[in-house]
Amino acid sequence: MNESTTDTGHGPALPDGAGDGTRAVRAGLPEPVKHEPTLPGPVFAAHFHLPGDPTGPYTYGRDENPTWTLLERAVGELEAPGQEGVETLVFASGMAAISSVLFSQLRAGDAVVLPDDGYQALPLVRAQLETYGIEVRTAPTGGDAQLEVLDGAKLLWIETPSNPGLDVCDVRRLAEAAHARGALVAVDNTLATPLGQRPLELGADFAVASGTKQLTGHGDVLLGYVVGRDAEAMAAVRRWRKIVGAIPGPMEAWLAHRSIATLQLRVDRQNATALTLARALRERSEVTGLRYPGLPDDPSHTIASQQMRGFGCVVSFTLPSRERADRFLGALRLVDDATSFGGVRSTAERRGRWGGDAVPEGFIRFSVGAEDPEDLVADVLRALDESAV
């Protein structure tokens, strides 16, 4: 291996106050080496040359990989620019990252607060935590309802905006209250991305996300990450990753790093189009329960405006029936009927088909892609008209 792939220090320093686009394009790059690529290719290695005592950064592929190092540096520079003592760890999926925090920080007899309107897999996590003797309390995201169940908790888990309902809570307020009670705070930052929200700057101990979504944006990578400021807590997260082997492949890590270069371009386009679509949907009588934090009359807008720098690419709304929702999805031409969100191609789904989300049968989660706004809005309005028959 050459110097550019084994260097674990920071790459070229970014200018003070560098913008999101500059940061995304340059994040995690190694120091330039003549005749070497600016972003080294993936390192496929289960083991490394290691004569003598096992010192140095790379010993075995389950512990560290040079491709992870560059990606972790890039994510850390986006989630916590300019902050010292922040560590980033990448995982095989968002759920691997979520599990690593919960199961590394909690012990039998501890209590944790989870959202009752969060990601669909959280009920599965709750059941597993309870089998280990951990008390699980739940509260909705909106209205900072977690405050009512914080006393005695070891960890507060926040998902804001929530998926799929798009409620928002006050991270600063909740973090201060949790810390005053001796609890750690983790924020799922998947929907906002680090360009839309930086949980560590708002007082959280961990920022956790699925990189599968808008961070990488092409629907071709499963990835997760944890960013944290407490060395002891992050050492436990790292140990959990090693024990369960929840590691990303080098190709996935490289694809993710490559994709981050266009993050600001994608986020700007997708978020702006999401607001345009939400405004158009607001004029439709058959659409109810419309949620997008960027709308001035959205219940979450005030808090979102105080802590978010962008409002995301997801719009949620409800059509009158399951049948109407299915007809609408079938009539769309520029939108794939698929799960997940954040990709450059718009997707939508009737979320109730999975079960587990407390949503009406006609509830639609719509992920806005990078299509021309005029084309996308026209397609949605046409599909609404056709599905009314």
Side-chain angles (χ1 to χ4, degrees), residues 156-387:
L156 168 63
W157 188 273
I158 297 171
E159 186 178 299
T160 181
S162 61
N163 173 28
L166 304 184
D167 269 321
V168 172
C169 56
D170 188 333
V171 177
R172 288 188 184 91
R173 181 187 184 198
L174 290 170
E176 289 175 2
H179 291 155
R181 293 163 171 81
L184 295 168
V185 178
V187 176
D188 187 327
N189 204 33
T190 301
L191 203 145
T193 82
L195 297 194
Q197 179 174 266
R198 291 183 176 134
L200 298 191
E201 292 181 358
L202 298 172
D205 301 288
F206 303 99
V208 187
S210 168
T212 308
K213 312 298 193 299
Q214 198 173 17
L215 184 83
T216 55
H218 292 79
D220 55 5
V221 173
L222 285 172
L223 192 86
Y225 67 80
V226 178
V227 184
R229 65 172 76 256
D230 183 272
E232 184 178 351
M234 287 301 292
V237 174
R238 179 183 290 275
R239 186 166 57 250
W240 180 263
R241 183 178 71 172
K242 177 183 176 73
I243 291 169
V244 301
I247 58 173
M251 190 64 186
E252 286 77 9
W254 183 85
L255 283 170
H257 197 171
R258 180 212 60 175
S259 298
I260 286 174
T262 62
L263 178 60
Q264 187 251 2
L265 300 174
R266 292 183 282 106
V267 163
D268 281 0
R269 175 62 169 260
Q270 291 173 257
N271 291 9
T273 305
L275 179 58
T276 300
L277 177 62
R279 287 170 173 161
L281 290 170
R282 191 168 51 184
E283 305 303 316
R284 300 291 299 213
S285 60
E286 69 269 52
V287 169
T288 60
L290 175 66
R291 295 300 304 272
Y292 184 68
L295 288 172
D297 57 351
D298 186 273
S300 293
H301 182 72
T302 300
I303 294 299
S305 297
Q306 293 171 1
Q307 67 188 24
M308 298 182 72
R309 296 154 60 236
F311 300 110
C313 64
V314 176
V315 178
S316 67
F317 57 95
T318 301
L319 293 177
S321 67
R322 171 177 180 168
E323 293 73 22
R324 177 69 186 277
D326 286 338
R327 291 198 303 271
F328 165 71
L329 293 170
L332 292 166
R333 297 171 184 165
L334 298 180
V335 182
D336 296 331
D337 191 344
T339 194
S340 197
F341 58 85
V344 292
R345 288 174 289 278
S346 292
T347 61
E349 67 172 336
R350 189 181 64 79
R351 193 63 187 162
R353 66 180 175 168
W354 297 100
D357 289 316
V359 296
E361 285 289 340
F363 180 94
I364 300 292
R365 185 181 70 182
F366 195 109
S367 173
V368 174
E371 299 87 359
D372 287 324
E374 299 82 2
D375 293 339
L376 184 63
V377 171
D379 188 46
V380 170
L381 297 181
R382 180 197 51 76
L384 285 172
D385 289 339
E386 290 184 7
S387 64

Side-chain angles (χ1 to χ4, degrees), residues 30-66:
E31 292 287 351
V33 176
K34 189 174 183 178
H35 305 308
E36 293 294 332
T38 55
L39 177 63
V43 175
F44 298 98
H47 57 264
F48 303 85
H49 288 295
L50 195 66
D53 293 335
T55 59
Y58 306 115
T59 58
Y60 187 64
R62 189 181 61 245
D63 299 321
E64 288 291 350
N65 177 287

